[in-house]
Amino acid sequence: MTNSNPKLDPAAPAKGPIVLGIETSCDETAAAVVDGERNILANVVLSQLDDHAPYGGVVPEVAARAHLAHLPGLVAQALEKSGCDWEDIDAVAATGGPGLIGGVIVGVMMAKGLAAARGLPFLAVNHLEGHALTPRLTDDVAFPYLLLLVSGGHCQLLIVSGPGDYTRLGTTIDDAVGEAFDKSAKLMGLSYPGGPRLEAAAAKGDASRFALPRPMIGRDDCDFSFSGLKTAVRRELEKLENPTEQDIADLSAAFQKSVGDSLVDRTRRAIRLFRQRHPEGQSLVVAGGVAANKYLRARLTALAGENGLDFVAPPIGLCTDNAAMIAWAGLEHFRRGETSGLDFAPRPRWPLDPDAEPKPGAGVKA
Amino acid sequence: MSVLVIDTSGETCAAALASDIAAGAGARILAAETLPLKRGHAEALMPQIERVLAAAGGIAGAGLEAIAVVAGPGSFTGLRVGLAAAQGLGLALSIPVIGLNAFDIVREMLSGITSAHPLLIALDSRREEPFFQAFDAAGGTLTEPLALPVAAMVARLPAGPLYLAGSAAAAVRAAVPDRNWLEARVAATLDISVAARVACAQLLGGHTLPPQPLYLRAPDVTMPQAAPAAARGQG
């Protein structure tokens, strides 16, 4: 259980609207309370890491069971920590997708029950929009901005023009970047969750020892591809036969550098497009779980600086899945008078830019 | 004062409003609705609850004193739809939420059986192993609710004639034809009005179950070396 947000200050007087948020789309069960003055009044997250570790990855049925077992207690805890009564809450928001549908259903039904009981509006929030709008919660970033959304399920470059208003400039055509981290870590024998462990190994490695491909660099679009990089990691491992700890560290560093080179090249192209369409735009925002990677953050910070853009990345605790971002995204829509019906159907797929062309190799990730 | 009862465990979506706990099994059904539904419970349930409660002046006017929800066995996803909604309602209304065992409801639905012989209830699980619970002639439990292969379950039962009921009864009879099965007729789906009276009786008697799912089966998972089917994300 964590409650580590720096802005968390239950003693501060809350300013309306106040929204309760719920997140259950992957392997974190979370509840939070946020107000219209960008105060996070409560933010509780329970990681299911230990439930899934024996299987080496998230098992959907295990996740759904754990969400149901823990969510009622977390909601009660978030409300208590926020210092709010039910009378103070103005709306209830929950992740409505995309994600593991069994978990999404638990959060959506809990939120519908809470909302119906108190006669409150219900808001089904796009999980990706939670990540995308977090910089407005943490840093009050103005629309429009350029967003690099990097997580276990997604890798996209988007122009964010407003709540519900996204233009996709690029996407992965196969694996998501966090997925590439986790799969490569698994190949290297690093334990679950692999992404953060690969980052730790890379910190002790020499990236120049292995020449890994730098996918998509120089291509005339803003798309990403990471499955070839993962295959290259497998080939290097096969050559090593019995890799030492230093071999793994060096290979991790090379992998991370390739990912960084690819992200920087693709994002640089996207900055050019963003500038053409929105000369007034000022910010490059990085969000999603991979934004917690310090090496990649540093590379992207430098890129933003070179291009005269402000670099914004939420604090690490708000990059990984949490409910404060869901409450906030719900609040942004609620302020515009938008709500969801109690007949809302949870959505396993829910693209931010519905007009963007599908990428068959990436499926739901694009 | 009233009790809201929900069932999303099978191929219906159902809600009922019962008059009051004090009436126990004699509670009146103020409103009830059952929709045949193979999927889509998450969409259908909450509007259905609002329709049922409208008969008593809406959620504020109904004066709910408890919520009961079928906790299983049944469809895993279906159970979670009902349990999550019930717990959300209960949490925000500060009223108790209880779980109902589907076998208790089926037992109340049975007609035409005497107390001369034990009873086996077998419910379809959409898997090889049906869901079972057995009761003795006096109505006490012979076994807990279980998911077992038919032969293994039948081996646990006392010799002599047995009533057999439930949606998997035909499958059990086909698998073990040489038992002295006595027929006990019951509808294939749970009756929400009966569920409501069971809930009121249990609340009145203080013999309630927590609102926790009766899955009866572990999740289908394989260890990583066998089939790494699961994907892990960083966010």
Side-chain angles (χ1 to χ4, degrees), chain A residues 27 55 58-59 61 65 72 112-114 118 152 182 192 195 289-290 321 345, chain B residues 42-43 76 80 87-89 92 215 217 219 221 224 230 232-235:
Chain A
D27 60 346
Y55 312 111
V58 178
V59 182
E61 176 64 20
R65 291 184 179 197
K112 286 181 179 180
L114 295 167
R118 307 300 311 191
D182 290 334
Y192 168 92
V290 179
D321 288 353
Chain B
E43 296 96 292
F76 296 166
R80 285 191 286 266
Q87 296 202 61
L89 287 162
Y215 293 119
R217 286 174 55 90
V221 287
R232 156 72 195 169
Q234 276 201 342

PDB file of all heavy atoms in Angstrom, chain A residues 27 55 58-59 61 65 72 112-114 118 152 182 192 195 289-290 321 345, chain B residues 42-43 76 80 87-89 92 215 217 219 221 224 230 232-235:
ATOM      1  N   ASP A  27      -2.988  -4.700 -12.949  1.00  0.00           N
ATOM      2  CA  ASP A  27      -2.657  -5.424 -11.722  1.00  0.00           C
ATOM      3  C   ASP A  27      -2.462  -4.503 -10.530  1.00  0.00           C
ATOM      4  O   ASP A  27      -1.811  -4.874  -9.573  1.00  0.00           O
ATOM      5  CB  ASP A  27      -1.436  -6.321 -11.938  1.00  0.00           C
ATOM      6  CG  ASP A  27      -0.204  -5.536 -12.339  1.00  0.00           C
ATOM      7  OD1 ASP A  27      -0.352  -4.359 -12.710  1.00  0.00           O
ATOM      8  OD2 ASP A  27       0.902  -6.095 -12.289  1.00  0.00           O
ATOM      9  N   TYR A  55       3.551 -16.690 -11.670  1.00  0.00           N
ATOM     10  CA  TYR A  55       3.199 -17.024 -13.054  1.00  0.00           C
ATOM     11  C   TYR A  55       4.033 -16.251 -14.065  1.00  0.00           C
ATOM     12  O   TYR A  55       3.887 -16.438 -15.267  1.00  0.00           O
ATOM     13  CB  TYR A  55       1.713 -16.762 -13.305  1.00  0.00           C
ATOM     14  CG  TYR A  55       0.834 -17.338 -12.239  1.00  0.00           C
ATOM     15  CD1 TYR A  55       0.143 -16.525 -11.361  1.00  0.00           C
ATOM     16  CD2 TYR A  55       0.732 -18.722 -12.087  1.00  0.00           C
ATOM     17  CE1 TYR A  55      -0.638 -17.064 -10.362  1.00  0.00           C
ATOM     18  CE2 TYR A  55      -0.045 -19.264 -11.085  1.00  0.00           C
ATOM     19  CZ  TYR A  55      -0.724 -18.431 -10.228  1.00  0.00           C
ATOM     20  OH  TYR A  55      -1.495 -18.970  -9.231  1.00  0.00           O
ATOM     21  N   VAL A  58       0.857 -11.122 -15.551  1.00  0.00           N
ATOM     22  CA  VAL A  58      -0.474 -10.917 -15.001  1.00  0.00           C
ATOM     23  C   VAL A  58      -1.430 -11.974 -15.555  1.00  0.00           C
ATOM     24  O   VAL A  58      -1.558 -12.136 -16.764  1.00  0.00           O
ATOM     25  CB  VAL A  58      -1.003  -9.514 -15.347  1.00  0.00           C
ATOM     26  CG1 VAL A  58      -2.416  -9.341 -14.817  1.00  0.00           C
ATOM     27  CG2 VAL A  58      -0.093  -8.461 -14.765  1.00  0.00           C
ATOM     28  N   VAL A  59      -2.086 -12.696 -14.667  1.00  0.00           N
ATOM     29  CA  VAL A  59      -3.083 -13.682 -15.070  1.00  0.00           C
ATOM     30  C   VAL A  59      -4.457 -13.034 -14.900  1.00  0.00           C
ATOM     31  O   VAL A  59      -4.828 -12.650 -13.784  1.00  0.00           O
ATOM     32  CB  VAL A  59      -2.996 -14.956 -14.211  1.00  0.00           C
ATOM     33  CG1 VAL A  59      -4.003 -15.991 -14.684  1.00  0.00           C
ATOM     34  CG2 VAL A  59      -1.585 -15.522 -14.236  1.00  0.00           C
ATOM     35  N   GLU A  61      -7.654 -13.833 -14.678  1.00  0.00           N
ATOM     36  CA  GLU A  61      -8.619 -14.291 -13.674  1.00  0.00           C
ATOM     37  C   GLU A  61      -8.098 -14.051 -12.248  1.00  0.00           C
ATOM     38  O   GLU A  61      -8.862 -13.681 -11.356  1.00  0.00           O
ATOM     39  CB  GLU A  61      -8.954 -15.777 -13.893  1.00  0.00           C
ATOM     40  CG  GLU A  61      -9.875 -16.413 -12.858  1.00  0.00           C
ATOM     41  CD  GLU A  61     -11.290 -15.834 -12.814  1.00  0.00           C
ATOM     42  OE1 GLU A  61     -11.729 -15.209 -13.798  1.00  0.00           O
ATOM     43  OE2 GLU A  61     -11.953 -15.996 -11.765  1.00  0.00           O
ATOM     44  N   ARG A  65     -10.049 -11.530  -9.551  1.00  0.00           N
ATOM     45  CA  ARG A  65     -10.409 -11.961  -8.194  1.00  0.00           C
ATOM     46  C   ARG A  65      -9.816 -11.031  -7.141  1.00  0.00           C
ATOM     47  O   ARG A  65     -10.475 -10.671  -6.166  1.00  0.00           O
ATOM     48  CB  ARG A  65      -9.925 -13.401  -7.967  1.00  0.00           C
ATOM     49  CG  ARG A  65     -10.702 -14.396  -8.789  1.00  0.00           C
ATOM     50  CD  ARG A  65     -10.295 -15.831  -8.490  1.00  0.00           C
ATOM     51  NE  ARG A  65     -11.093 -16.745  -9.293  1.00  0.00           N
ATOM     52  CZ  ARG A  65     -11.219 -18.045  -9.059  1.00  0.00           C
ATOM     53  NH1 ARG A  65     -10.581 -18.590  -8.034  1.00  0.00           N
ATOM     54  NH2 ARG A  65     -11.970 -18.798  -9.827  1.00  0.00           N
ATOM     55  N   PRO A  72     -13.402  -2.880  -2.285  1.00  0.00           N
ATOM     56  CA  PRO A  72     -14.281  -2.210  -1.309  1.00  0.00           C
ATOM     57  C   PRO A  72     -13.496  -1.591  -0.150  1.00  0.00           C
ATOM     58  O   PRO A  72     -13.767  -0.448   0.246  1.00  0.00           O
ATOM     59  CB  PRO A  72     -15.198  -3.335  -0.824  1.00  0.00           C
ATOM     60  CG  PRO A  72     -15.184  -4.351  -1.918  1.00  0.00           C
ATOM     61  CD  PRO A  72     -13.798  -4.286  -2.512  1.00  0.00           C
ATOM     62  N   LYS A 112     -20.557   2.200 -10.323  1.00  0.00           N
ATOM     63  CA  LYS A 112     -21.983   2.373 -10.625  1.00  0.00           C
ATOM     64  C   LYS A 112     -22.820   2.216  -9.356  1.00  0.00           C
ATOM     65  O   LYS A 112     -23.781   2.956  -9.138  1.00  0.00           O
ATOM     66  CB  LYS A 112     -22.442   1.335 -11.656  1.00  0.00           C
ATOM     67  CG  LYS A 112     -21.981   1.586 -13.085  1.00  0.00           C
ATOM     68  CD  LYS A 112     -22.532   0.482 -13.988  1.00  0.00           C
ATOM     69  CE  LYS A 112     -22.140   0.670 -15.453  1.00  0.00           C
ATOM     70  NZ  LYS A 112     -22.679  -0.419 -16.290  1.00  0.00           N
ATOM     71  N   GLY A 113     -22.455   1.232  -8.521  1.00  0.00           N
ATOM     72  CA  GLY A 113     -23.186   1.018  -7.270  1.00  0.00           C
ATOM     73  C   GLY A 113     -23.062   2.219  -6.347  1.00  0.00           C
ATOM     74  O   GLY A 113     -24.053   2.686  -5.774  1.00  0.00           O
ATOM     75  N   LEU A 114     -21.847   2.733  -6.201  1.00  0.00           N
ATOM     76  CA  LEU A 114     -21.622   3.904  -5.348  1.00  0.00           C
ATOM     77  C   LEU A 114     -22.419   5.095  -5.874  1.00  0.00           C
ATOM     78  O   LEU A 114     -23.083   5.818  -5.118  1.00  0.00           O
ATOM     79  CB  LEU A 114     -20.129   4.254  -5.321  1.00  0.00           C
ATOM     80  CG  LEU A 114     -19.173   3.233  -4.682  1.00  0.00           C
ATOM     81  CD1 LEU A 114     -17.721   3.582  -5.028  1.00  0.00           C
ATOM     82  CD2 LEU A 114     -19.359   3.178  -3.173  1.00  0.00           C
ATOM     83  N   ARG A 118     -25.822   7.074  -4.084  1.00  0.00           N
ATOM     84  CA  ARG A 118     -25.814   8.467  -3.627  1.00  0.00           C
ATOM     85  C   ARG A 118     -26.460   9.398  -4.640  1.00  0.00           C
ATOM     86  O   ARG A 118     -26.427  10.625  -4.454  1.00  0.00           O
ATOM     87  CB  ARG A 118     -24.373   8.940  -3.377  1.00  0.00           C
ATOM     88  CG  ARG A 118     -23.536   8.074  -2.470  1.00  0.00           C
ATOM     89  CD  ARG A 118     -24.065   7.900  -1.072  1.00  0.00           C
ATOM     90  NE  ARG A 118     -24.436   9.134  -0.409  1.00  0.00           N
ATOM     91  CZ  ARG A 118     -24.723   9.234   0.898  1.00  0.00           C
ATOM     92  NH1 ARG A 118     -24.657   8.151   1.662  1.00  0.00           N
ATOM     93  NH2 ARG A 118     -25.071  10.362   1.417  1.00  0.00           N
ATOM     94  N   GLY A 152       3.079  -0.536 -20.559  1.00  0.00           N
ATOM     95  CA  GLY A 152       3.150  -1.954 -20.885  1.00  0.00           C
ATOM     96  C   GLY A 152       2.215  -2.338 -22.003  1.00  0.00           C
ATOM     97  O   GLY A 152       2.423  -3.323 -22.707  1.00  0.00           O
ATOM     98  N   ASP A 182       9.694  -5.874 -20.597  1.00  0.00           N
ATOM     99  CA  ASP A 182       9.365  -7.038 -19.766  1.00  0.00           C
ATOM    100  C   ASP A 182       9.744  -8.345 -20.457  1.00  0.00           C
ATOM    101  O   ASP A 182      10.248  -9.270 -19.820  1.00  0.00           O
ATOM    102  CB  ASP A 182       7.883  -7.023 -19.408  1.00  0.00           C
ATOM    103  CG  ASP A 182       7.556  -5.907 -18.423  1.00  0.00           C
ATOM    104  OD1 ASP A 182       8.454  -5.508 -17.671  1.00  0.00           O
ATOM    105  OD2 ASP A 182       6.402  -5.443 -18.409  1.00  0.00           O
ATOM    106  N   TYR A 192      10.195 -11.165 -12.481  1.00  0.00           N
ATOM    107  CA  TYR A 192       9.037 -10.300 -12.659  1.00  0.00           C
ATOM    108  C   TYR A 192       8.929  -9.322 -11.495  1.00  0.00           C
ATOM    109  O   TYR A 192       9.169  -9.734 -10.366  1.00  0.00           O
ATOM    110  CB  TYR A 192       7.801 -11.212 -12.714  1.00  0.00           C
ATOM    111  CG  TYR A 192       6.461 -10.539 -12.617  1.00  0.00           C
ATOM    112  CD1 TYR A 192       5.781 -10.155 -13.756  1.00  0.00           C
ATOM    113  CD2 TYR A 192       5.881 -10.304 -11.375  1.00  0.00           C
ATOM    114  CE1 TYR A 192       4.548  -9.554 -13.663  1.00  0.00           C
ATOM    115  CE2 TYR A 192       4.643  -9.702 -11.274  1.00  0.00           C
ATOM    116  CZ  TYR A 192       3.988  -9.331 -12.417  1.00  0.00           C
ATOM    117  OH  TYR A 192       2.776  -8.730 -12.328  1.00  0.00           O
ATOM    118  N   GLY A 195      10.621  -4.972 -16.252  1.00  0.00           N
ATOM    119  CA  GLY A 195      11.019  -3.638 -16.714  1.00  0.00           C
ATOM    120  C   GLY A 195      11.931  -2.917 -15.726  1.00  0.00           C
ATOM    121  O   GLY A 195      13.064  -2.556 -16.064  1.00  0.00           O
ATOM    122  N   GLY A 289       3.589   4.063 -17.554  1.00  0.00           N
ATOM    123  CA  GLY A 289       4.500   3.394 -16.631  1.00  0.00           C
ATOM    124  C   GLY A 289       5.965   3.492 -17.035  1.00  0.00           C
ATOM    125  O   GLY A 289       6.855   3.603 -16.185  1.00  0.00           O
ATOM    126  N   VAL A 290       6.257   3.488 -18.343  1.00  0.00           N
ATOM    127  CA  VAL A 290       7.655   3.528 -18.792  1.00  0.00           C
ATOM    128  C   VAL A 290       8.277   4.897 -18.519  1.00  0.00           C
ATOM    129  O   VAL A 290       9.500   5.035 -18.446  1.00  0.00           O
ATOM    130  CB  VAL A 290       7.749   3.121 -20.279  1.00  0.00           C
ATOM    131  CG1 VAL A 290       9.182   3.174 -20.783  1.00  0.00           C
ATOM    132  CG2 VAL A 290       7.192   1.712 -20.470  1.00  0.00           C
ATOM    133  N   ASP A 321       0.133   2.913 -12.811  1.00  0.00           N
ATOM    134  CA  ASP A 321      -1.326   2.964 -12.685  1.00  0.00           C
ATOM    135  C   ASP A 321      -1.745   3.430 -11.291  1.00  0.00           C
ATOM    136  O   ASP A 321      -1.192   3.002 -10.285  1.00  0.00           O
ATOM    137  CB  ASP A 321      -1.920   1.582 -12.967  1.00  0.00           C
ATOM    138  CG  ASP A 321      -1.837   1.229 -14.445  1.00  0.00           C
ATOM    139  OD1 ASP A 321      -1.456   2.106 -15.244  1.00  0.00           O
ATOM    140  OD2 ASP A 321      -2.168   0.083 -14.790  1.00  0.00           O
ATOM    141  N   ALA A 345     -21.085  -0.026 -21.022  1.00  0.00           N
ATOM    142  CA  ALA A 345     -20.490  -1.355 -21.203  1.00  0.00           C
ATOM    143  C   ALA A 345     -18.971  -1.245 -21.144  1.00  0.00           C
ATOM    144  O   ALA A 345     -18.376  -0.513 -21.943  1.00  0.00           O
ATOM    145  CB  ALA A 345     -20.909  -1.940 -22.549  1.00  0.00           C
TER     146      ALA A 345
ATOM    147  N   ALA B  42     -23.073  -6.520 -17.002  1.00  0.00           N
ATOM    148  CA  ALA B  42     -22.497  -5.270 -16.494  1.00  0.00           C
ATOM    149  C   ALA B  42     -23.261  -4.055 -17.013  1.00  0.00           C
ATOM    150  O   ALA B  42     -23.352  -3.044 -16.328  1.00  0.00           O
ATOM    151  CB  ALA B  42     -21.014  -5.172 -16.889  1.00  0.00           C
ATOM    152  N   GLU B  43     -23.826  -4.162 -18.218  1.00  0.00           N
ATOM    153  CA  GLU B  43     -24.620  -3.072 -18.763  1.00  0.00           C
ATOM    154  C   GLU B  43     -26.038  -3.086 -18.181  1.00  0.00           C
ATOM    155  O   GLU B  43     -26.617  -2.058 -17.872  1.00  0.00           O
ATOM    156  CB  GLU B  43     -24.760  -3.189 -20.296  1.00  0.00           C
ATOM    157  CG  GLU B  43     -23.474  -3.078 -21.050  1.00  0.00           C
ATOM    158  CD  GLU B  43     -22.876  -4.431 -21.375  1.00  0.00           C
ATOM    159  OE1 GLU B  43     -22.443  -5.129 -20.419  1.00  0.00           O
ATOM    160  OE2 GLU B  43     -22.836  -4.804 -22.556  1.00  0.00           O
ATOM    161  N   PHE B  76     -17.895 -16.864 -13.287  1.00  0.00           N
ATOM    162  CA  PHE B  76     -16.972 -16.046 -12.485  1.00  0.00           C
ATOM    163  C   PHE B  76     -17.215 -14.558 -12.735  1.00  0.00           C
ATOM    164  O   PHE B  76     -17.301 -13.761 -11.804  1.00  0.00           O
ATOM    165  CB  PHE B  76     -15.507 -16.375 -12.814  1.00  0.00           C
ATOM    166  CG  PHE B  76     -15.083 -17.775 -12.465  1.00  0.00           C
ATOM    167  CD1 PHE B  76     -13.895 -18.288 -12.976  1.00  0.00           C
ATOM    168  CD2 PHE B  76     -15.848 -18.584 -11.631  1.00  0.00           C
ATOM    169  CE1 PHE B  76     -13.480 -19.573 -12.658  1.00  0.00           C
ATOM    170  CE2 PHE B  76     -15.444 -19.871 -11.310  1.00  0.00           C
ATOM    171  CZ  PHE B  76     -14.254 -20.372 -11.825  1.00  0.00           C
ATOM    172  N   ARG B  80     -18.873 -11.571 -10.194  1.00  0.00           N
ATOM    173  CA  ARG B  80     -18.183 -10.312  -9.851  1.00  0.00           C
ATOM    174  C   ARG B  80     -19.030  -9.093 -10.213  1.00  0.00           C
ATOM    175  O   ARG B  80     -18.972  -8.083  -9.518  1.00  0.00           O
ATOM    176  CB  ARG B  80     -16.812 -10.259 -10.537  1.00  0.00           C
ATOM    177  CG  ARG B  80     -15.793 -11.170  -9.883  1.00  0.00           C
ATOM    178  CD  ARG B  80     -14.390 -10.911 -10.404  1.00  0.00           C
ATOM    179  NE  ARG B  80     -14.186 -11.433 -11.737  1.00  0.00           N
ATOM    180  CZ  ARG B  80     -13.669 -12.634 -12.016  1.00  0.00           C
ATOM    181  NH1 ARG B  80     -13.296 -13.430 -11.050  1.00  0.00           N
ATOM    182  NH2 ARG B  80     -13.514 -13.022 -13.261  1.00  0.00           N
ATOM    183  N   GLN B  87     -21.661  -4.427  -3.386  1.00  0.00           N
ATOM    184  CA  GLN B  87     -20.769  -3.833  -2.389  1.00  0.00           C
ATOM    185  C   GLN B  87     -20.663  -2.327  -2.564  1.00  0.00           C
ATOM    186  O   GLN B  87     -20.529  -1.595  -1.582  1.00  0.00           O
ATOM    187  CB  GLN B  87     -19.395  -4.496  -2.466  1.00  0.00           C
ATOM    188  CG  GLN B  87     -19.496  -5.970  -2.093  1.00  0.00           C
ATOM    189  CD  GLN B  87     -18.170  -6.539  -1.638  1.00  0.00           C
ATOM    190  OE1 GLN B  87     -17.618  -6.084  -0.652  1.00  0.00           O
ATOM    191  NE2 GLN B  87     -17.676  -7.511  -2.359  1.00  0.00           N
ATOM    192  N   GLY B  88     -20.721  -1.850  -3.808  1.00  0.00           N
ATOM    193  CA  GLY B  88     -20.733  -0.412  -4.033  1.00  0.00           C
ATOM    194  C   GLY B  88     -21.968   0.227  -3.411  1.00  0.00           C
ATOM    195  O   GLY B  88     -21.887   1.236  -2.713  1.00  0.00           O
ATOM    196  N   LEU B  89     -23.120  -0.388  -3.652  1.00  0.00           N
ATOM    197  CA  LEU B  89     -24.367   0.124  -3.072  1.00  0.00           C
ATOM    198  C   LEU B  89     -24.304   0.087  -1.543  1.00  0.00           C
ATOM    199  O   LEU B  89     -24.654   1.052  -0.864  1.00  0.00           O
ATOM    200  CB  LEU B  89     -25.554  -0.726  -3.561  1.00  0.00           C
ATOM    201  CG  LEU B  89     -25.977  -0.541  -5.025  1.00  0.00           C
ATOM    202  CD1 LEU B  89     -26.835  -1.707  -5.490  1.00  0.00           C
ATOM    203  CD2 LEU B  89     -26.723   0.781  -5.207  1.00  0.00           C
ATOM    204  N   ALA B  92     -21.857   2.762   0.011  1.00  0.00           N
ATOM    205  CA  ALA B  92     -22.301   4.154  -0.025  1.00  0.00           C
ATOM    206  C   ALA B  92     -23.595   4.371   0.776  1.00  0.00           C
ATOM    207  O   ALA B  92     -23.887   5.494   1.161  1.00  0.00           O
ATOM    208  CB  ALA B  92     -22.491   4.599  -1.471  1.00  0.00           C
ATOM    209  N   TYR B 215     -16.395 -19.245  -5.840  1.00  0.00           N
ATOM    210  CA  TYR B 215     -15.929 -19.671  -7.165  1.00  0.00           C
ATOM    211  C   TYR B 215     -15.919 -21.202  -7.257  1.00  0.00           C
ATOM    212  O   TYR B 215     -16.210 -21.779  -8.290  1.00  0.00           O
ATOM    213  CB  TYR B 215     -14.512 -19.159  -7.424  1.00  0.00           C
ATOM    214  CG  TYR B 215     -14.367 -17.659  -7.554  1.00  0.00           C
ATOM    215  CD1 TYR B 215     -13.565 -16.934  -6.678  1.00  0.00           C
ATOM    216  CD2 TYR B 215     -15.011 -16.970  -8.576  1.00  0.00           C
ATOM    217  CE1 TYR B 215     -13.395 -15.569  -6.815  1.00  0.00           C
ATOM    218  CE2 TYR B 215     -14.850 -15.600  -8.718  1.00  0.00           C
ATOM    219  CZ  TYR B 215     -14.041 -14.897  -7.828  1.00  0.00           C
ATOM    220  OH  TYR B 215     -13.871 -13.547  -7.965  1.00  0.00           O
ATOM    221  N   ARG B 217     -13.678 -23.054  -7.847  1.00  0.00           N
ATOM    222  CA  ARG B 217     -12.591 -23.519  -8.725  1.00  0.00           C
ATOM    223  C   ARG B 217     -11.466 -22.500  -8.675  1.00  0.00           C
ATOM    224  O   ARG B 217     -11.712 -21.304  -8.675  1.00  0.00           O
ATOM    225  CB  ARG B 217     -13.061 -23.594 -10.186  1.00  0.00           C
ATOM    226  CG  ARG B 217     -13.981 -24.727 -10.523  1.00  0.00           C
ATOM    227  CD  ARG B 217     -14.459 -24.553 -11.960  1.00  0.00           C
ATOM    228  NE  ARG B 217     -13.335 -24.436 -12.859  1.00  0.00           N
ATOM    229  CZ  ARG B 217     -12.746 -25.462 -13.455  1.00  0.00           C
ATOM    230  NH1 ARG B 217     -13.201 -26.667 -13.272  1.00  0.00           N
ATOM    231  NH2 ARG B 217     -11.721 -25.278 -14.242  1.00  0.00           N
ATOM    232  N   PRO B 219      -8.405 -20.341 -10.337  1.00  0.00           N
ATOM    233  CA  PRO B 219      -8.257 -19.792 -11.691  1.00  0.00           C
ATOM    234  C   PRO B 219      -7.494 -20.775 -12.572  1.00  0.00           C
ATOM    235  O   PRO B 219      -6.635 -21.502 -12.084  1.00  0.00           O
ATOM    236  CB  PRO B 219      -7.419 -18.531 -11.480  1.00  0.00           C
ATOM    237  CG  PRO B 219      -7.482 -18.233 -10.028  1.00  0.00           C
ATOM    238  CD  PRO B 219      -7.740 -19.522  -9.317  1.00  0.00           C
ATOM    239  N   VAL B 221      -4.694 -21.388 -14.521  1.00  0.00           N
ATOM    240  CA  VAL B 221      -3.394 -20.799 -14.813  1.00  0.00           C
ATOM    241  C   VAL B 221      -2.389 -21.907 -15.040  1.00  0.00           C
ATOM    242  O   VAL B 221      -2.527 -23.014 -14.524  1.00  0.00           O
ATOM    243  CB  VAL B 221      -2.877 -19.892 -13.675  1.00  0.00           C
ATOM    244  CG1 VAL B 221      -3.636 -18.595 -13.638  1.00  0.00           C
ATOM    245  CG2 VAL B 221      -2.945 -20.593 -12.340  1.00  0.00           C
ATOM    246  N   PRO B 224       4.844 -20.584 -15.824  1.00  0.00           N
ATOM    247  CA  PRO B 224       5.481 -19.932 -16.967  1.00  0.00           C
ATOM    248  C   PRO B 224       6.153 -20.896 -17.950  1.00  0.00           C
ATOM    249  O   PRO B 224       5.993 -20.730 -19.145  1.00  0.00           O
ATOM    250  CB  PRO B 224       6.524 -19.022 -16.329  1.00  0.00           C
ATOM    251  CG  PRO B 224       6.182 -18.923 -14.903  1.00  0.00           C
ATOM    252  CD  PRO B 224       5.242 -20.011 -14.557  1.00  0.00           C
ATOM    253  N   ALA B 230       0.479 -15.074 -20.181  1.00  0.00           N
ATOM    254  CA  ALA B 230       0.113 -13.784 -19.600  1.00  0.00           C
ATOM    255  C   ALA B 230       1.098 -12.704 -20.022  1.00  0.00           C
ATOM    256  O   ALA B 230       2.261 -12.968 -20.305  1.00  0.00           O
ATOM    257  CB  ALA B 230       0.093 -13.900 -18.093  1.00  0.00           C
ATOM    258  N   ARG B 232       2.720  -8.877 -19.086  1.00  0.00           N
ATOM    259  CA  ARG B 232       2.906  -7.960 -17.963  1.00  0.00           C
ATOM    260  C   ARG B 232       3.198  -6.578 -18.516  1.00  0.00           C
ATOM    261  O   ARG B 232       4.013  -6.427 -19.425  1.00  0.00           O
ATOM    262  CB  ARG B 232       4.073  -8.460 -17.105  1.00  0.00           C
ATOM    263  CG  ARG B 232       4.784  -7.403 -16.267  1.00  0.00           C
ATOM    264  CD  ARG B 232       3.936  -6.939 -15.101  1.00  0.00           C
ATOM    265  NE  ARG B 232       4.502  -5.693 -14.564  1.00  0.00           N
ATOM    266  CZ  ARG B 232       3.872  -4.932 -13.694  1.00  0.00           C
ATOM    267  NH1 ARG B 232       2.684  -5.252 -13.263  1.00  0.00           N
ATOM    268  NH2 ARG B 232       4.415  -3.828 -13.249  1.00  0.00           N
ATOM    269  N   GLY B 233       2.548  -5.568 -17.994  1.00  0.00           N
ATOM    270  CA  GLY B 233       2.822  -4.216 -18.449  1.00  0.00           C
ATOM    271  C   GLY B 233       3.483  -3.399 -17.365  1.00  0.00           C
ATOM    272  O   GLY B 233       3.411  -3.738 -16.197  1.00  0.00           O
ATOM    273  N   GLN B 234       4.135  -2.332 -17.790  1.00  0.00           N
ATOM    274  CA  GLN B 234       4.714  -1.410 -16.805  1.00  0.00           C
ATOM    275  C   GLN B 234       3.710  -0.353 -16.397  1.00  0.00           C
ATOM    276  O   GLN B 234       3.985   0.454 -15.540  1.00  0.00           O
ATOM    277  CB  GLN B 234       5.933  -0.717 -17.403  1.00  0.00           C
ATOM    278  CG  GLN B 234       7.188  -1.546 -17.269  1.00  0.00           C
ATOM    279  CD  GLN B 234       8.420  -0.669 -17.379  1.00  0.00           C
ATOM    280  OE1 GLN B 234       8.345   0.444 -17.872  1.00  0.00           O
ATOM    281  NE2 GLN B 234       9.532  -1.159 -16.916  1.00  0.00           N
ATOM    282  N   GLY B 235       2.624  -0.262 -17.033  1.00  0.00           N
ATOM    283  CA  GLY B 235       1.668   0.782 -16.677  1.00  0.00           C
ATOM    284  C   GLY B 235       0.543   0.630 -17.581  1.00  0.00           C
ATOM    285  O   GLY B 235      -0.516   0.791 -17.687  1.00  0.00           O
TER     286      GLY B 235
END
